[in-house]
Amino acid sequence: MKGHRAAATQSSRARARGAVIGALVVVAALVPATATAAGTQEVDAELPYLCALPSGKLPAQVRIQAVFPARTGPGEPVEPTGVTTSVQLPAEAVADLAALGAATARPATRLTVGVAQDGATAEATWRGTAEPVRLPGSGPLTLTTTGDVASVTGNGEGDLTFSAGSLAVDLALVTADGAAAGTGALTVDCSPAPAAEREPLVTVPAGGATPDPDGPPASPGSSASPSARPDGSEERQADRAPEVTPAVPGGSAADREAPPCRYDDAHPSTSASLNAYITGYTNVAKLKGASLLPLSCVLIEQGPTDIELFPDFTGGYLTQHSTGTLRHQGRAQTPPFEATFLTFGFTPTKATMVLEQTGPMTMDAHGETSFLTLYTELETRVRVPLVLRVTALEVNGVPLEVGPACRTKGPLRSPEPEPAKFPGDHLLLTGSSTHQPPDQPVGYLLSSGGQLTGEMTVPAFTGCGGGGENLDRLLTASVSGPGNYVKQTQGQTCAVQVFNPDECTEDLQPLKIPVPER
């Protein structure tokens, strides 16, 4: 058992961080939306926020840019485009990140946007991602993210008003030598200042075009209250709330295309069995592009959670060891997937690939909890040896024979902070979570899923070619190398022997299908 003084120090640090997260404030003024090209209006707003960092509440400036339609009609979706979120953190925040050992930070933002129409309200989440940003030696740090956002469809005839709300900035922190800094991740929660809350981000007027004065008169019921139905009954506010549609809608295995993900006689379940879908993106640094990781099934055996108590029983260290297996058509691999890039900057190249699991997948969670505050921190590291196999190749529209044995010489390789304990080449993905009851946990948990991130090196290729051609050098020169960022999204698991209709389909497949995020 570890010394109580060290344990108590770490526990108090976790509590302090939890007390600070969620307290960020903003301090700026809105720049009103201005008209741009015909049929659109541009938002360029600067808002004051306060952000919670390990050292306390710090002021930040948030700039939101987007293009909205000039008008909308009933039942017509409003889909913002060109959405950019920029967060400027002060120098004190940079010092906080540097104190954790970070040299770079990769941001992902989650902006809550309120939508109002005819007194009814709804919320949308605008997500954005970016490449890693090096921490400055002095001065503020600006993090700019972009991404596709949800569309909003009004359920009434009134104007749609959009307002900026809370902002979460997820930071993947890396040291100068490529290792995870601190826990490897930090979520900075920010809230708009009262002045920012009083001003709308933008209003999209209802109505397709200016009414024709010579056109037909309005119907007798057109001046009725928006909440009144033709039969005289009152419409509930929830029935009129704007409908938010995700940029890439999720769903269930029962009503969307998804590969099978179930246990069978060849792989029977136990009382600890879970299954889940995973997907995501991986950068290909040499080609300056990203490849979609296909929706894949993983079968998980969840281990028990062990706790090593502090000597004074005020809390303890948590550990959990679980194992997993990719599953596609009875094999430990992903479904085939395609990626198209411009090789050497000008030649279109399309490859069909499969990721094959060549050894055990381990999922190790470590953290600590306080019995006094009930605050819990947890970090999960997923390790899996994966070989990248190429099954088909097209260069400039011409198929090239790759043969049956075209693959990387070894597994994808990530920096490993514990090489003596986890030898051999493997992909390492990390996710973290915090939980302060009565709120729901925030971040990645094995059971509920979330984001896992990492970085990998793609080894050289071997066995590629046919008909006397050797394509090893072409693929190695095009793809192989370090610095390829991976962002994986895991969905909610299904506990197959404890049926829950909110988590499992009737045939015990995962109900939740995750959406890949850049």
Side-chain angles (χ1 to χ4, degrees), residues 10 38 56 89 92 108 131 138 165 187 197 203 241 283 289-290 294 310 344 386 391 479 492 497 501-502 510 512:
Q10 290 187 353
L89 298 174
E92 295 89 335
E131 294 299 306
S138 60
T187 295
E197 290 181 334
T203 296
N283 285 354
F310 299 155
F344 309 120
L386 295 172
T391 61
V479 178
Q492 166 74 52
Q497 292 195 6
D502 293 330
K512 306 297 183 182

Side-chain angles (χ1 to χ4, degrees), residues 282-287 388 408 411-415 455-461 474-486:
T282 176
N283 285 354
V284 183
K286 276 189 174 180
L287 299 178
L388 180 61
T408 53
L412 308 177
R413 185 172 66 254
S414 295
E455 191 171 290
M456 68 173 181
T457 295
V458 178
F461 284 81
L474 171 65
L475 288 168
T476 298
S478 305
V479 178
S480 301
N484 303 291
Y485 177 71
V486 182

Side-chain angles (χ1 to χ4, degrees), residues 153-353:
T153 303
N155 286 331
E157 297 183 352
D159 298 345
L160 282 169
T161 300
F162 294 76
S163 302
S166 61
L167 172 68
V169 184
D170 299 318
L171 298 175
L173 304 176
V174 178
T175 64
D177 58 4
T183 62
L186 175 68
T187 295
V188 177
D189 292 320
C190 307
S191 300
E197 290 181 334
R198 289 194 294 268
E199 296 289 342
L201 196 62
V202 67
T203 296
V204 181
T210 303
D212 184 353
D214 299 325
S219 64
S222 63
S223 60
S225 166
S227 61
R229 293 181 182 272
D231 61 4
S233 63
E234 288 297 314
E235 182 180 16
R236 294 178 302 140
Q237 186 184 53
D239 295 332
R240 297 185 291 108
E243 179 182 348
V244 178
T245 303
V248 182
S252 69
D255 58 17
R256 292 192 59 213
E257 290 187 7
C261 189
R262 61 169 67 92
Y263 289 81
D264 52 30
D265 292 340
H267 202 124
S269 66
T270 71
S271 59
S273 293
L274 309 172
N275 52 9
Y277 284 114
I278 58 174
T279 185
Y281 283 98
T282 176
N283 285 354
V284 183
K286 276 189 174 180
L287 299 178
K288 298 179 180 180
S291 173
L292 175 68
L293 297 174
L295 188 67
S296 304
C297 169
V298 60
L299 306 181
I300 302 167
E301 289 298 306
Q302 185 176 27
T305 300
D306 298 321
I307 183 166
E308 179 186 351
L309 296 174
F310 299 155
D312 60 0
F313 300 98
T314 59
Y317 295 98
L318 305 174
T319 59
Q320 183 187 62
H321 175 75
S322 305
T323 59
T325 304
L326 291 172
R327 189 77 166 172
H328 178 67
Q329 297 181 347
R331 298 180 178 180
Q333 64 178 45
T334 68
F337 59 101
E338 290 184 350
T340 301
F341 299 98
L342 289 178
T343 308
F344 309 120
F346 60 88
T347 305
T349 302
K350 181 172 73 174
T352 303
M353 298 169 284

